[in-house]
Amino acid sequence: MNAREERLRNARRHAEMKLTSDRHLQDVVRMAASVCHVPYAWLCLTDEGGPQVVASEGISPKQLHPLASFLTGLPDQPEVFFANFAERNPQFHAHPVVTGSPAVRFIAGVPVRLGKMVRGGCLFIMDRNARILDSVEQQSLLTLSAQISLLMDLHSAVKILEDENDAIEQTRMALHSIYESDQRFHVLLDHDRRILNNNALFEEFIKNRYGEKMRRGQLFSSYIDSDCLSDFLEGFIGAINGELVHQKSGAFFRADKLNTWREITYAPVKNWKGRVIGVSFTAIDIREKIRRDEQIIHQKQMLNTIAEMQSHQIRKPVASIIGLLELMKTDDKGADAVYLDLMEKSIMELDGKIRAIVDHSSGKPEPPTAET
């Protein structure tokens, strides 16, 4: 990052701080006027749009404009800059504070560091009389300039923390929204299997099914069906050891209905050092999924039965009809009645098989038998 980009970044950050209302900066500027025995003092900081007066003593910021002439010729190092007999100085002789009210004749300034920039701003003092600054006054200005830099660093650090806290809060709100809108039970457990946190869905489940209010610190295993305790301990210990554990069980909680199926996940929760500090327990009711899976299996069984009927059972009466037709072509006419009777039986058998297929494909519980 070059010097200009650094200056602009600092300027943006300081512009967001609303420094004109900072009483500490006002106090430092007032002290500068007092220790140097002058009526006027002011602090100017750089901005993306130009310099800005953020604090002043004895003079209005409007009287100080334009500010550019004050910043010309400032030293690149932290040392005091003097302009005595300002009315004769080519840098200041045409400025309104010199030609008009308050008609200053003495101007001195010292750079103020902002971040890594030595000249991020400047602390100025002015007097209506020509004068000099002794070594004590010069050292006081340098000390006050350093104090302003420390205040600005503090403001900047606070602003960064506020921005980071805002980002963390936004992330927390987004995660909370997901956490609460999810149709799963979410429970955070400590190493002793006690509840640290949970979502509203689980809290409502405990209230409705157990008739009690959810309490932090409650032993989570007190809600679990005794038949599932061993599965819970297995999953919990696995997560404490850093593993992601998935389980499928029936009625997991004591208050679960008998036909309830839950998919359970145990995930390790780690701190920024990577140390496991707890377990995230997640449970979702998968009854609907189980029902759909059973329906799919049943449909596959129906299709297999229909395929078997088509390939074997229907083939038998069809083959009989074909054989009878061949016999009718070769036999004498006296046997027609017998053949027709047999054909009728075969056709009726075929009709029965077709009806059975139709009934079975429509989902009727009793499939046709393999033999008629």
Side-chain angles (χ1 to χ4, degrees), residues 136-154:
V136 175
E137 291 172 329
Q138 292 184 45
Q139 186 58 48
S140 297
L141 280 180
L142 291 170
T143 301
L144 292 173
S145 171
Q147 182 66 25
I148 292 172
S149 296
L150 292 176
L151 283 172
M152 299 302 295
D153 289 343
L154 177 61

Side-chain angles (χ1 to χ4, degrees), residues 185-297:
F185 293 158
H186 290 281
V187 185
L188 180 61
L189 306 174
D190 64 13
H191 278 79
D192 296 324
R193 305 186 298 278
R194 296 185 179 276
I195 299 173
L196 294 175
N197 203 349
N198 57 270
N199 64 344
L201 189 67
F202 183 72
E203 192 164 341
E204 184 179 357
F205 171 79
I206 296 299
K207 180 180 179 181
N208 293 337
R209 295 289 183 86
Y210 292 85
E212 61 184 68
K213 184 176 177 59
M214 182 78 248
R215 292 186 295 110
R216 303 294 187 269
Q218 174 74 27
L219 194 63
F220 184 67
S221 55
S222 64
Y223 296 122
I224 301 174
D225 190 277
S226 57
D227 293 339
C228 296
L229 279 175
S230 59
D231 291 337
F232 166 71
L233 291 174
E234 179 184 351
F236 181 86
I237 292 172
I240 285 292
N241 291 327
E243 301 175 10
L244 182 64
V245 182
H246 297 284
Q247 294 176 350
K248 284 186 179 180
S249 62
F252 184 84
F253 296 101
R254 287 189 290 106
D256 272 339
K257 298 177 181 178
L258 294 178
N259 63 342
T260 299
W261 281 86
R262 297 192 184 278
E263 188 174 70
I264 312 295
T265 301
Y266 305 84
V269 178
K270 301 180 181 180
N271 62 10
W272 63 277
K273 292 183 177 180
R275 178 173 170 267
V276 177
I277 58 174
V279 172
S280 173
F281 171 90
T282 305
I284 184 170
D285 190 342
I286 57 172
R287 278 179 293 183
E288 183 62 24
K289 182 177 181 297
I290 295 292
R291 189 191 66 79
R292 288 198 303 267
D293 290 344
E294 290 176 347
Q295 186 177 16
I296 291 172
I297 292 172

